[in-house]
Each structure stands twice: as C-alpha cells, then as structure tokens.
Amino acid sequence: MHSWTDTLRFAFQPVVNLRTGAVTALETLARPETGDILAEARRDPELDGRLTVLALRAATHKETLLPLHLNVFAATLADLGGLSPLHDAVRAAGRLPWEVTLDVVPPYTHVPQRALLEAVAALREQGFRISADGIGDGDVPLRLLTDLSPDLVKLDASLLARPAAVRAVRTLCEELGALVAVEGVETELQYGVALSAGAQLGQGELFAPPARIPAADVYVPPRSPGAIGVPRSGPSVREFVRPAAVLPVTASAGQVRALLTGSPDVSGVLLVDQAGRPVRSVHRSRFLLSMSGRYGHALYADRPAFKLGDAPRTVGVDATAWEVLDVVAVGGRDRTSDDVAVVDRHGRCVGVVRLADLVRALAESRVEEAAGLNPLTRLPGSDAITSEVDRWIADGRSFALSWLDIDHFKQVNDGAGFAAGDELIRSVGRVLQQAASGHARVGHIGGDDFLVLAEEQALDPLVAAVLDARWSAGDRPVTLSLATVVCAPGSVGDHRQAAAQLAPLKQAAKALRGASWVLGRAGLPGHEVRRGTAPAQAQAPAQAGYATVEPGR
C-alpha cells in the first residue's frame, strides 16, 4: 500500500546575502508529485509537523553544512505547542537547533495568539531561530509581529513596489534585532530596489530556482558604483555574514579534519557549546598543518579538537566593518586571516565574516568617496550628503540639514582675485570640517556652497565656529549666510523634499545683513532668525511670504 510520502519530494532554494552574493541558508520546500499535501497540512497540524521533520531529513541527506529554513504553519505551532519531534530529529541528524530557522507561515487569522507565542518561546528555549514569513501579503497583525520578535522577517516581493514600506520594516527590524529578507525576487530591478530599501537577504528565481540538488552557485547582479551609499561609520557586519562551519566543542580532531577535507570552501571551524556560543576557533591552514606533520594524525586524530583551536574572535551583529577590523588588528599577525564569529545578543553564533569581504567593501567605499570629493576642499560632494540624508530618513531619525555660503562671493572674486577666493573657500571648509568632526557630515557642493548634516543639538557649536570667526579675502571683510531646516521623522520623504524645504530659508538668510542664520522646521510655517538683521528698507515679513520670529521672542 502506497503512503503519501512515496510521492513527496523536496526542493531547495538558497537564501542569498544581497550584498556579498553568498548563500547564507537553504529553504527546504515540499514538492508533492500528486495531490495537495500542503492544503491538507494546513488543516492537519500533526501532518504539518511530520512534513517539517521530513524536510529536515531531506536536507540532511544532501549533506549540506548550510543553515536550514523549514516551513511550518502558525496554526500548527499553536495547536501542538511546539515541535518536539523536530528537536529530536535535529539531534539525530547531527545538527544543532540554532542552525535551523522555522519560517512561521500564514494564515494567522483564528490562530490563538497566546498559544502561538508560548509555542515560539518553547522553540526558542530549545535553540531554534524564528522567521515571520509572508509579511506584506499575509495576515499577520503588526502587534503580533512585534510580540513574536523574530530573528528574520520575510517580505513578499509585492512590497518592492512600495520601497518606503520595506524601509519602514527595516527600521522596525532594527529595533527587534531582526534581519529583512525579500522573497520572490525575479528581476534585477527588484533586486536593486530590495538592496537600496535596506533588505539584507533575498530569495527568488533571479538568484536560483528551487532545485532537487542545493545550488552551489547563485546569480547576483553586479552593483553599479555608488548605487548604495556607505555610512561613514562603515557598513554593518550583517551585510557580510556567511554561514559558519560548526561542530560541538566536544568534537575530535578527526571530525574537524573530515569536515575540512570534505568542504574545501570552509576556511575554519567554530567549536560551540550546547547553546551555540563559540568556544574555540579552528583555522583551516594551521589545523591541517598540525595534522599533516610527522605523527600528526596519530597524535591528534582522537584527541579533542579544542586543543588545536584558538580563542574565537567575536563581534556583535550590530558591529560595523571598521569595528571588525579593530578586532582583527588585536593579536598576532598569524591570525589576520581567521574568520570572525558574529554573535547575537545571547552570544550565539549567527555566522562568520571574512576579512577579504570587509576589505573589499571598505576599499570600494573609499574609492567611491574619493571620486566624489571636491578637488578644492577635498570634501564630499552633494551625492554623498544626500545619500546620507536618505539613510537618516529611512532609519526614522530626526536631522538638521544646513546650507552655508559666502555672501557676495562674486564681488570677493572680482575684488580680491580668484586665488584669494579659492583660499577663502578652503578655509571655510577646514573650519566646518574641524567643528563637525564626529558630530556632523560636511559636503562641498560647488562654488562657495556647503551642506551640513547633523543632529539639531550639534548645531550651536558648529554655527559658532563658522559665524563667529572673522573672515576676509584680500583684506576685504566677508560674512557668511546659513540656513537650516530641521526634519522630524515623517516630515520629509527623501532628500529632494528636504532640499525644497531648505531653499526658501536660504533666500531668507541671504536677505539679512551681516553673518546670518535662519532656522525652519519641515512642514511648519515660518522660520526663526537666529543671526543677522533685516535691512532698514526691507518690507514687512508677511509681504515676503515668511512669518519671521526675531531672536529672543
């Protein structure tokens, strides 16, 4: 008598790091040859639980070292109170629970939320990771999503038509400590939108279709230079995480050797405790050198690999690439090629980063930044600042965008000469850069115009540094004008809207006498004159279309 398992097959689809192109995990998908077993599993929690165990075993038979994603309906977890057979199956397969991510699949309607949350908590206690699947096309309530606090949120590709929504989810996920993945990516345009909107991971036909044999290579479109701006503090380590090759801390040297010789792409092995926390790091070359020496195999094969490892180098998932380089710089030179373990807030390993990936990305960012520097001041141009503005907007941060220029600069050039004018621009740029160090981003957008991006509380000392200074060119006194727009979260949609709010403020500042500073707030009428005085012959502010507030009022 035939069983429904006789016609059930599984396919594997890679989960891809959108920045590096590395495969970070494999999702196992049920592919029945006849019937609709998934529809039955949706109605039958016991059947769905058995499917999840079978999916794990199918992946185990492929002898993959990659972390796994397994699907399970939300109602199944709520009904069964977890998946006890899965935990046993993971152990029997020689894997660790934290190498498995459970993709909790809609529908959520009519699922008892308390029971679901209790089941998820139990799975987390066992070490499993949790992914909220089908967000954007499913029915998961936002409150439940935050209560689940998943390690990963998978978005439906339909949200790519609304990149603002993807950016909003990315902001939420940063608060939850979760990554963002986009499923169903089919075109290079969708890939570009997903990357620019802040998604870190992706799946879809563009990279590799589901296949009976796990894909060894995936296609990732080349990124055009400057397509994605890199924050000055460096890209996040999350963008470079690769799967880690892990073994229990009790593993023998022979087990490590078998893993390394059978997987030539693995550069090292992490030995972890039962909770998945790195305890020892085994570097490929140093380990194999020890094992291949005279009597090496006889001496070490049955001994704990722990003795041939080093203390692991670790960074948190919120670290930047520069912080990883700081970690690598500490210690002996013989360890500069070691992988760095990335750990979550519980100290559990979520993967590794390789030094080569970081150096390449940081070098690219420096080349792009150098290409955009103004040759006169060596400050970044407008593209760098506006890209940073868009990142701050996407992150939901408040910011102050300021536009500074030299009053009557043409007269300065005509009267003192262009050499004196150039030196004045360089001097203003130097003072701005020194005053902004660590607190703001300064750009030279051409001529005598500068842009400054900062938090509002950082403005006063910066403004004092440039407006209180005595400026001159060829013994001719010179004044500066500054206009600032303060943008609260949600007040502007991108840098273009911020610039449009800033333009009339610049005109208001230029209309004042002496060193001037005008400040306005995006979406609110009027502005505040913080420096400068109105000319005696000026018309009433209302006729100019501004509601001016004099200093001190």
Side-chain angles (χ1 to χ4, degrees):
M1 182 177 178
H2 291 288
S3 167
W4 56 266
T5 58
D6 295 336
T7 60
L8 183 63
R9 301 291 181 267
F10 290 91
F12 304 92
Q13 186 168 45
V15 181
V16 178
N17 183 311
L18 295 180
R19 185 180 182 93
T20 66
V23 178
T24 65
L26 286 176
E27 181 174 357
T28 309
L29 304 166
R31 290 290 186 265
E33 294 182 358
T34 61
D36 192 349
I37 193 69
L38 295 180
E40 294 180 35
R42 178 175 169 178
R43 297 187 296 267
D44 184 346
E46 294 286 350
L47 174 58
D48 191 32
R50 291 200 298 273
L51 277 178
T52 306
V53 172
L54 288 173
L56 169 75
R57 291 173 178 165
T60 302
H61 293 157
K62 301 300 180 182
E63 298 182 348
T64 176
L65 295 174
L66 288 168
L68 303 175
H69 283 243
L70 307 176
N71 293 296
V72 60
F73 286 110
T76 296
L77 296 181
D79 188 271
L80 300 181
L83 291 172
S84 298
L86 178 63
H87 185 267
D88 297 336
V90 168
R91 292 294 185 182
R95 302 297 293 259
L96 296 170
W98 54 268
E99 295 180 85
V100 176
T101 298
L102 290 172
D103 290 353
V104 184
V105 179
Y108 289 85
T109 303
H110 306 308
V111 173
Q113 294 191 10
R114 181 182 294 274
L116 175 60
L117 293 174
E118 289 175 353
V120 166
L123 289 165
R124 276 211 174 90
E125 185 68 23
Q126 293 173 343
F128 292 104
R129 301 183 189 279
I130 302 298
S131 166
D133 203 348
I135 304 302
D137 193 45
D139 59 347
V140 57
L142 184 58
R143 185 179 66 182
L144 177 59
L145 178 61
T146 57
D147 289 344
L148 283 172
S149 191
D151 301 285
L152 174 67
V153 170
K154 287 190 172 184
L155 305 181
D156 186 82
S158 62
L159 281 188
L160 294 177
R162 303 165 181 83
V166 181
R167 289 193 292 269
V169 174
R170 167 68 186 265
T171 300
L172 173 62
C173 286
E174 287 177 350
E175 292 290 327
L176 298 176
L179 296 176
V180 178
V182 178
E183 297 182 290
V185 178
E186 297 181 351
T187 67
E188 295 193 11
L189 178 60
Q190 287 181 320
Y191 160 78
V193 173
L195 191 60
S196 62
Q200 294 110 338
L201 305 174
Q203 289 178 265
E205 297 279 342
L206 176 67
F207 310 114
R212 296 290 173 84
I213 299 175
D217 298 304
V218 296
Y219 171 73
V220 177
R223 291 189 296 120
S224 58
I228 304 299
V230 179
R232 201 175 189 189
S233 57
S236 168
V237 73
R238 293 173 183 265
E239 301 177 14
F240 304 96
V241 175
R242 293 174 176 265
V246 296
L247 286 173
V249 69
T250 55
S252 68
Q255 289 174 293
V256 172
R257 183 176 183 273
L259 191 158
L260 291 174
T261 55
S263 308
D265 293 335
V266 172
S267 54
V269 177
L270 289 176
L271 304 178
V272 299
D273 63 16
Q274 288 187 340
R277 294 182 291 261
V279 177
R280 219 67 178 162
S281 173
V282 180
H283 184 267
R284 180 187 190 90
S285 298
R286 293 196 299 273
F287 175 83
L288 292 179
L289 184 63
S290 298
M291 291 290 287
S292 61
R294 191 176 185 184
Y295 309 123
H297 188 271
L299 284 172
Y300 297 118
D302 296 324
R303 298 183 66 185
F306 183 96
K307 296 181 179 296
L308 294 175
D310 301 288
R313 291 174 165 177
T314 62
V315 295
V317 292
D318 296 322
T320 67
W322 290 111
E323 290 170 325
V324 177
L325 292 185
D326 289 340
V327 171
V328 172
V330 176
R333 293 183 179 179
D334 61 328
R335 296 199 62 192
T336 54
S337 62
D338 287 19
D339 293 341
V340 176
V342 182
V343 297
D344 63 15
R345 59 184 179 273
H346 303 295
R348 300 175 304 181
C349 178
V350 298
V352 295
V353 290
R354 294 181 179 176
L355 183 62
D357 289 339
L358 300 182
V359 171
R360 186 181 305 112
L362 292 173
E364 289 174 356
S365 72
R366 285 295 181 254
V367 169
E368 292 175 10
E369 184 175 334
L373 295 181
N374 187 287
L376 184 60
T377 59
R378 307 304 296 167
L379 289 172
S382 60
D383 287 348
I385 305 301
T386 55
S387 294
E388 190 85 355
V389 168
D390 284 338
R391 280 192 293 273
W392 284 37
I393 292 171
D395 291 342
R397 298 176 60 180
S398 297
F399 63 90
L401 183 63
S402 300
W403 191 339
L404 177 124
D405 73 351
I406 300 168
D407 295 330
H408 311 296
F409 184 69
K410 185 177 185 304
Q411 296 178 19
V412 172
N413 266 349
D414 291 344
F418 70 86
D422 285 352
E423 181 55 37
L424 175 61
I425 291 173
R426 278 192 290 266
S427 298
V428 171
R430 281 194 297 269
V431 171
L432 270 176
Q433 184 77 326
Q434 292 167 2
S437 180
H439 304 287
R441 189 82 189 270
V442 177
H444 182 191
I445 61 177
D448 62 320
D449 291 315
F450 296 86
L451 276 179
V452 181
L453 174 64
E455 294 180 344
E456 184 177 2
Q457 56 266 33
L459 287 175
D460 286 336
L462 190 148
V463 171
V466 291
L467 295 190
D468 289 347
R470 295 183 178 275
W471 299 101
S472 64
D475 297 326
R476 299 167 63 93
V478 174
T479 58
L480 308 180
S481 294
L482 179 70
T484 299
V485 60
V486 177
C487 300
S491 61
V492 292
D494 57 23
H495 71 269
R496 297 176 184 84
Q497 293 182 15
Q501 297 270 348
L502 185 57
L505 299 177
K506 180 188 177 184
Q507 294 179 6
K510 298 295 287 183
L512 300 173
R513 290 187 300 180
S516 62
W517 180 23
V518 166
L519 182 143
R521 297 185 182 275
L524 298 178
H527 60 260
E528 178 184 351
V529 176
R530 294 196 168 185
R531 299 274 187 113
T533 58
Q537 70 275 20
Q539 298 294 319
Q543 292 179 323
Y546 299 103
T548 303
V549 180
E550 295 295 341
R553 295 187 182 179

